[in-house]
Amino acid sequence: MEEFSEEYLVEKLAALEKWADEVKPEELKPAPLESYAATAAWVNQFDEVNEALAGAVGDALARGLSWVQVADLLGVSEEAARKKYESRVLAQTA
């Protein structure tokens, strides 16, 4: 598997999250069956990246960054960052 920088992955994840928040289900078109395997692989990678990102958020908070600073790095509001990662960070540190 190709290696990507954390910065690249954060950027791509943010773009994917933005798209997922804005997409309208009725605008989606069915995909050919053979594309589902690739989609499943991407979903698995997305989950792995999301968990790694939650770990990075936890590390940033442990090093003294505030939720405002973390949210700024993620390109989202503080509320969005907390909503998405706070419970994961707490679970990882428990």
Side-chain angles (χ1 to χ4, degrees):
M1 179 187 296
E2 188 174 345
E3 293 292 321
F4 297 102
S5 72
E6 184 174 339
E7 181 180 325
Y8 174 83
L9 293 173
V10 168
E11 179 184 314
K12 293 302 178 185
L13 180 60
L16 180 59
E17 288 176 339
K18 183 177 188 281
W19 173 83
D21 288 342
E22 296 173 355
V23 70
K24 295 180 177 102
E26 63 274 8
E27 294 176 355
L28 298 175
K29 297 178 182 168
L33 187 56
E34 61 272 6
S35 70
Y36 292 136
T39 300
W42 278 105
V43 168
N44 287 336
Q45 287 180 348
F46 178 80
D47 291 343
E48 291 171 9
V49 168
N50 231 355
E51 285 307 308
L53 190 52
V57 168
D59 289 346
L61 292 168
R63 292 173 191 251
L65 269 69
S66 69
W67 275 106
V68 171
Q69 292 168 312
V70 169
D72 188 47
L73 289 169
L74 295 172
V76 299
S77 69
E78 177 187 0
E79 180 183 355
R82 282 182 178 270
K83 182 178 178 182
K84 181 156 188 158
Y85 295 106
E86 191 167 35
S87 63
R88 290 181 182 177
V89 169
L90 291 172
Q92 287 181 348
T93 58

